Amino acid sequence: MEQIATGFVGGANGRLFMDLLDDYVFRKDFLVISGETRINIKVIDIRTGIVTEINEPGPVILKEEAEKFTELLMKYLEECELVILSGSLPKGLPSDFYGRCIRLASGMKVRTVLDADGETLRHGCGARPFAIKPNIHEFERLTGKTFSDYKEINYKEIKDEIKSLHKSGIELILVSLGDKGSILSYRNKIYHAMPIPVQIKSTVASGDAMVAALAYCIINDFPPEKTARITSAAGSLTAALDGSDMAEWEDIKKEYDKVHIEEI
């Protein structure tokens, strides 16, 4: 499956980032900006498993840079089947920037997967992406409700909110629940998937792995139950790796049938 990575890069950190990407075979076409690409640091306590995040503020995107990126996106929308819009937005971009990208993609019959938080997620949902992948805390902020007391999760209330989001035009919703697994709602089916038991090393890239697996499932038109298993396995197997390493498809393919799913 051909992939294209794009976004904003700048300064010495941006050059280092591009050098690191040389090890990967997918296409890259990033817009070089005047600002400096930020560095985010994850400090993992190996005794407790607690992750402390130290995130730099990042660059300010100029108006003309945002316009150039939109032109770059439009170029690739002409040849792609699916777009993933992921992460927080840098300063200078409005909170509805992903929403604008979603509308551009929809106008060209291209499906979108949105992985964001806060107002960026809220505005993005208003543009009706094909799929969203919030974690439970992002889902709570999106809906304005609390579903977990960190001991028990209210699956019925989550299910009700998912149905409400479907009515707004979002076709697929995947909510990750940490060690409680994930909930996938798609094609009138809602599944709760329990994670494969693994020795947790780092959860830093688990959500990103689930998004990548979800995109793969959408492109291949997998049924909901298979999608629930594959996305869950991708998150679990990635959590068993160090740092930001991600599970390989060959490993996911061997393990995803072991994921227990239950229709709710």
Side-chain angles (χ1 to χ4, degrees):
M1 182 184 299
E2 186 178 6
Q3 306 152 62
I4 302 167
T6 187
F8 301 97
V9 295
N13 290 340
R15 291 190 293 274
L16 173 60
F17 175 73
M18 294 304 297
D19 288 342
L20 292 171
L21 286 185
D22 282 342
D23 292 336
Y24 298 88
V25 297
F26 55 79
R27 292 166 61 188
K28 306 99 180 170
D29 191 357
F30 286 80
L31 181 71
V32 178
I33 59 172
S34 57
E36 181 80 31
T37 295
R38 69 176 180 171
I39 293 177
N40 292 343
I41 300 172
K42 314 293 183 185
V43 181
I44 303 173
D45 187 322
I46 58 175
R47 183 175 59 86
T48 65
I50 294 174
V51 178
T52 301
E53 298 187 358
I54 305 170
N55 297 337
E56 294 183 354
V60 176
I61 305 301
L62 304 178
K63 182 180 178 181
E64 55 267 30
E65 293 170 338
E67 291 172 350
K68 286 181 180 178
F69 179 80
T70 301
E71 293 173 3
L72 182 63
L73 176 65
M74 289 292 291
K75 180 180 75 171
Y76 287 117
L77 286 176
E78 295 176 357
E79 60 179 87
C80 71
E81 296 180 61
L82 183 75
V83 174
I84 297 173
L85 301 161
S86 180
S88 59
L89 292 173
K91 293 179 180 179
L93 294 181
S95 57
D96 69 342
F97 186 76
Y98 280 158
R100 297 177 188 181
C101 294
I102 291 166
R103 291 186 180 92
L104 289 173
S106 297
M108 300 182 72
K109 310 299 181 185
V110 176
R111 291 174 293 183
T112 50
V113 177
L114 177 62
D115 176 23
D117 191 11
E119 288 302 304
T120 303
L121 177 58
R122 189 182 310 280
H123 284 298
C125 286
R128 294 186 295 180
F130 179 82
I132 61 172
K133 207 299 295 172
N135 62 38
I136 185 62
H137 307 298
E138 293 163 347
F139 193 68
E140 288 177 335
R141 287 187 282 272
L142 174 64
T143 60
K145 296 184 177 181
T146 301
F147 305 106
S148 170
D149 61 3
Y150 299 96
K151 292 182 180 180
E152 297 293 332
I153 291 178
N154 191 322
Y155 294 102
K156 182 184 181 302
E157 288 191 8
I158 293 176
K159 186 176 176 179
D160 290 342
E161 290 300 319
I162 283 174
K163 288 181 176 179
S164 177
L165 284 169
H166 279 313
K167 290 178 182 177
S168 72
I170 302 170
E171 294 193 35
L172 189 158
I173 298 169
L174 175 61
V175 182
S176 55
L177 310 171
D179 62 2
K180 300 294 192 301
S182 56
I183 294 176
L184 176 88
S185 182
Y186 186 37
R187 295 177 179 170
N188 298 313
K189 296 284 188 179
I190 302 181
Y191 290 104
H192 176 215
M194 287 302 297
I196 297 171
V198 296
Q199 182 66 44
I200 303 293
K201 290 186 177 179
S202 172
T203 60
V204 168
S206 289
D208 296 324
M210 293 183 76
V211 171
L214 179 61
Y216 182 81
C217 292
I218 292 169
I219 290 292
N220 286 281
D221 197 29
F222 289 156
E225 58 271 22
K226 187 172 183 178
T227 300
R229 284 192 168 99
I230 289 175
T231 53
S232 178
S236 297
L237 295 177
T238 295
L241 302 176
D242 291 319
S244 58
D245 289 345
M246 286 194 190
E248 298 285 344
W249 169 238
E250 289 302 315
D251 296 321
I252 296 169
K253 189 164 55 174
K254 294 175 185 175
E255 300 292 330
Y256 76 79
D257 277 336
K258 298 178 184 177
V259 174
H260 174 73
I261 63 171
E262 179 181 355
E263 189 170 358
I264 60 175

